[in-house]
Amino acid sequence: SVYKAAGYSVVDSFAYDDIKNFLMQHKPGKLYLAVYTAVLLVVSFFIGFLIVVLWKEAATFSQFLEKIFLCLSFSLLGCAIIIPIHEFIHWLAYKNEGAADVRFGAIWKSFVFYAAAHNFVADYPSFRRVALAPFLILLGLLALVFLFPIPLWGRIAVLFILFFHLSCCSGDFMMLSYMRRNRTLNLV
């Protein structure tokens, strides 16, 4: 292969269509999974808590439904927008690390989206920067939006988008965990 000819050893490989199975075979440790699950549960708790507050603040049931409709509409729009923004941030991070050929893809049957740097050797520190960039940037932006003076239904929507984004980052975290376990190697 091209990699062996360049002096690299092939440790693992997978087709993009099979990335979900590859990641499931290389899950992170139990502590990571426990922390990740706890964070998702905390965000879920706050969503539920704020929905109860919204219910109590609503003058009528129809007013409550109107706010929930706004919340769900904004949430769906935000979730649709955050996917390409997430992948664009990966693209920026890969370019910053020196990758020349970064491509985007989607595996619709698995609802997996990716940015991949072809023929780019990524050591653990550079891959960590690429993997964490969208998580950290979007977490910060969503936190700022949440702190803005927006209606309660808007705050709930921001938390829904945050929950969705955290869930979608699981692939990045699993790849990062895989890279961490193999951090003494330069993986392509």
Side-chain angles (χ1 to χ4, degrees):
S1 89
V2 150
Y3 303 115
K4 285 184 181 177
Y8 295 101
S9 298
V10 177
V11 176
D12 273 316
S13 67
F14 58 89
Y16 287 118
D17 286 349
D18 201 33
I19 192 169
K20 198 168 190 176
N21 289 330
F22 176 81
L23 292 175
M24 294 309 287
Q25 292 171 1
H26 300 283
K27 290 182 194 173
K30 290 179 182 177
L31 177 62
Y32 162 80
L33 291 174
V35 169
Y36 186 68
T37 302
V39 168
L40 290 176
L41 286 173
V42 167
V43 173
S44 298
F45 170 79
F46 279 111
I47 290 170
F49 175 76
L50 291 179
I51 289 173
V52 169
V53 172
L54 186 68
W55 168 257
K56 290 186 179 208
E57 287 182 358
T60 64
F61 183 68
S62 62
Q63 185 185 52
F64 173 73
L65 289 179
E66 178 185 321
K67 304 282 185 194
I68 290 295
F69 177 77
L70 287 170
C71 175
L72 291 175
S73 299
F74 186 78
S75 296
L76 289 173
L77 178 63
C79 290
I81 290 171
I82 209 162
I83 294 168
I85 292 171
H86 176 106
E87 298 308 329
F88 179 72
I89 294 169
H90 277 311
W91 179 83
L92 288 173
Y94 269 127
K95 289 295 188 179
N96 188 55
E97 294 297 324
D101 185 9
V102 182
R103 302 176 194 175
F104 300 98
I107 304 157
W108 291 101
K109 67 181 179 184
S110 303
F111 201 67
V112 171
F113 305 91
Y114 61 87
H118 291 269
N119 298 320
F120 176 67
V121 177
D123 59 7
Y124 177 66
S126 75
F127 187 81
R128 183 178 57 222
R129 287 187 291 272
V130 169
L132 292 178
F135 167 74
L136 295 172
I137 291 169
L138 292 173
L139 177 65
L141 288 174
L142 289 170
L144 284 174
V145 171
F146 185 83
L147 295 174
F148 271 46
I150 58 175
L152 184 57
W153 65 264
R155 290 181 195 279
I156 297 168
V158 169
L159 286 178
F160 269 120
I161 296 166
L162 175 63
F163 182 89
F164 175 77
H165 186 248
L166 290 173
S167 298
C168 291
C169 285
S170 64
D172 293 331
F173 293 140
M174 284 193 268
M175 277 301 292
L176 186 60
S177 175
Y178 173 79
M179 292 290 287
R180 185 176 184 279
R181 281 194 301 271
N182 295 290
R183 66 182 169 269
T184 58
L185 308 172
N186 283 332
L187 301 177
V188 179

